[in-house]
Amino acid sequence: PEPLPQLPDWAQHLDLAALQTAFSQLPQLQLLNQQAGAVHAAGWATPAGQLQVALEDVGRHNALDKLLGHMAHQQMLGQPGLVVMTSRASYELVRKCARMGLPVLATISAPTTLAIQVANQAGMRLFGLCRGPRVVRYSTL
């Protein structure tokens, strides 16, 4: 993907507490997962970690597509915020976020090596293993 413009100041200073806040709010918005137990979610949170919306699907790619479509329809793209997902980060998910101009992706599981490379090329912040008190920043920016 084309590199994003310079990483926004808020993204450079995103803290652990914001990520923890966003991920702690996901379960209450995962109504399908509460019933089925095997559904992924993609959510959009403010830089402070306040989860605004979460969309679900059995496929992680579909969950992100639903979120991005919702954001485009609601004219939310371009607002400061981050994508949080209940999956691992693949390069495809990173590319989708980069193409939509979203500078931060955080996932519950670890990213693939190629996802890290794509995030660095795109100028994104990529976080993984966002569980409880632990978060790992994988991108070098």
Side-chain angles (χ1 to χ4, degrees):
E2 296 253 338
L4 295 172
Q6 182 176 352
L7 196 64
D9 189 55
W10 68 263
Q12 294 177 31
H13 299 97
L14 187 64
D15 64 5
L16 175 65
L19 292 169
Q20 290 171 324
T21 298
F23 277 97
S24 72
Q25 296 169 9
L26 263 177
Q28 63 199 19
L29 294 180
Q30 288 186 265
L31 303 179
L32 292 174
N33 192 56
Q34 290 172 17
Q35 295 174 358
V39 179
H40 286 295
W44 177 251
T46 67
Q50 294 304 310
L51 199 59
Q52 302 298 299
V53 62
L55 292 155
E56 298 177 278
D57 199 282
V58 293
R60 57 196 166 95
H61 294 273
N62 292 344
L64 181 59
D65 291 346
K66 287 178 178 181
L67 175 67
L68 297 177
H70 173 82
M71 291 177 66
H73 189 268
Q74 297 297 315
Q75 300 179 341
M76 297 169 66
L77 295 170
Q79 295 179 10
L82 58 138
V83 174
V84 294
M85 294 189 70
T86 60
S87 67
R88 67 179 174 87
S90 64
Y91 80 92
E92 299 97 340
L93 299 178
V94 172
R95 283 182 57 125
K96 286 178 186 183
C97 289
R99 290 193 67 146
M100 299 302 280
L102 305 173
V104 179
L105 173 61
T107 62
I108 281 183
S109 295
T112 64
T113 301
L114 188 53
I116 297 167
Q117 292 170 355
V118 171
N120 285 325
Q121 290 169 355
M124 289 177 60
R125 280 279 161 94
L126 178 61
F127 296 92
L129 297 174
C130 299
R131 301 175 187 181
R134 179 180 173 181
V135 169
V136 177
R137 188 178 87 195
Y138 285 93
S139 54
T140 57
L141 297 173

